[in-house]
Amino acid sequence: LADCYAALVHWPVFNKNRSVIASALTTIDLHDLARAARTYGLAGFYVLTPLADQKRLAVDMIAHWQSGPGSQYNTTRSDAVSLVRLADDLVDLRRILTEQYGLSPLVVGTSAQNGAGRIGYQDMAGRLAGDRPVVVALGTSWGLADDAEKQCDLMLAPIEGPTEYNHLSVRSAAAVIFDRLFGRTKRGAL
Ligand code: SAM
C-alpha cells in the first residue's frame, strides 16, 4: 500500500453563505481524526491552516498529549496524536510530500455533494498501491472551496445513507471513508 495521509482543510473552505474563509480548528476533530488515522494505518494526519494563532493552538494540543499531562493520562491518544502534522494548505502539503517522496502526491478530495467524474471507493482502493503518496482531503465548515477542489486530482463519490439527510460531521465521514479504503474487509481479509 502507498503511504496515505489524511488532510483536514481549514483553508480555503466555504462558510454557510458560500464565502471563502479560513475556519477555526476544532480540537475534538484533531484527536478523533488522529485516532482514526492511527487505526487505519495512515502515515500521517495533516491539519491545514495558514493562520498563526490556529497553528499555535494545534501545537499546544499536540504538546499536551505528547509530552504534557495528557501523555501520562491517555497513552493511546498520545500515540495517535503523534501522527498530526501542520501545513498551510493543500498547495503547501503537495510541496512538502513532493520533496519527501520525489513524487507529487495523488490528492483525493471528499464532499457530501455529488458531481461529475466522482471516483467510487472500490476504484479508489485499487489506486492505493505504488510509491506515490496519497492524500485524502477532508473539509471543515461547509466544505472544500473551489480552490481546494482544484488541488484535488480526484474527487470521491459522496457517502450516502438511505435518507435525504446528508450532514455527517467530518469525523464520522472520515471513519466511513477510511474503512471503505483501508479497512480489512475491503481488502478481502474477512
Ligand atoms: N462543521 C462540520 C462538522 O461537524 O464536522 C464540518 C462539516 S464538513 C462540510 C464535513 C466534511 O466531511 C466534508 O467537507 C467532507 O470532507 C466530509 N463529508 C461529510 N459528509 C460527507 C459525505 N456524505 N460523503 C463524503 N464526505 C463527506
Side-chain angles (χ1 to χ4, degrees):
L1 213 62
D3 280 357
C4 298
Y5 293 83
L8 184 63
V9 180
H10 291 87
W11 157 262
V13 289
F14 287 124
N15 73 3
K16 193 177 179 179
N17 305 315
R18 268 185 95 79
S19 303
V20 177
I21 57 150
S23 62
L25 252 62
T26 307
T27 54
I28 194 172
D29 283 351
L30 264 56
H31 47 72
D32 272 16
L33 288 171
R35 279 183 186 280
R38 179 74 177 83
T39 301
Y40 285 95
L42 274 67
F45 164 36
Y46 275 89
V47 176
L48 303 183
T49 176
L51 303 180
D53 65 332
Q54 297 295 296
K55 281 187 175 161
R56 269 197 302 276
L57 178 63
V59 167
D60 285 352
M61 193 219 70
I62 294 165
H64 174 79
W65 292 111
Q66 285 221 279
S67 47
S71 62
Q72 306 295 318
Y73 176 72
N74 190 333
T75 52
T76 61
R77 184 173 290 180
S78 166
D79 180 2
V81 165
S82 69
L83 290 178
V84 181
R85 317 257 182 281
L86 293 173
D88 288 350
D89 53 22
L90 286 171
V91 176
D92 191 31
L93 177 55
R94 189 180 285 281
R95 181 190 58 73
I96 290 167
L97 293 178
T98 303
E99 257 175 38
Q100 188 179 331
Y101 288 86
L103 291 167
S104 181
L106 179 67
V107 179
V108 58
T110 60
S111 169
Q113 314 300 320
N114 217 332
R118 298 289 206 254
I119 186 169
Y121 291 84
Q122 231 172 351
D123 285 352
M124 188 61 218
R127 296 183 63 156
L128 299 176
D131 296 330
R132 190 179 181 193
V134 174
V135 173
V136 178
L138 302 155
T140 58
S141 195
W142 265 254
L144 301 177
D146 296 346
D147 280 347
E149 278 208 21
K150 276 186 206 141
Q151 283 300 314
C152 298
D153 302 296
L154 298 165
M155 287 296 293
L156 271 169
I159 301 158
E160 288 176 317
T163 70
E164 295 309 308
Y165 188 92
N166 189 7
H167 301 282
L168 290 172
S169 73
V170 67
R171 300 177 304 283
S172 300
V176 173
I177 292 165
F178 294 170
D179 194 65
R180 289 182 180 184
L181 297 180
F182 312 116
R184 281 204 179 135
T185 43
K186 288 294 155 197
R187 299 209 305 272
L190 287 177

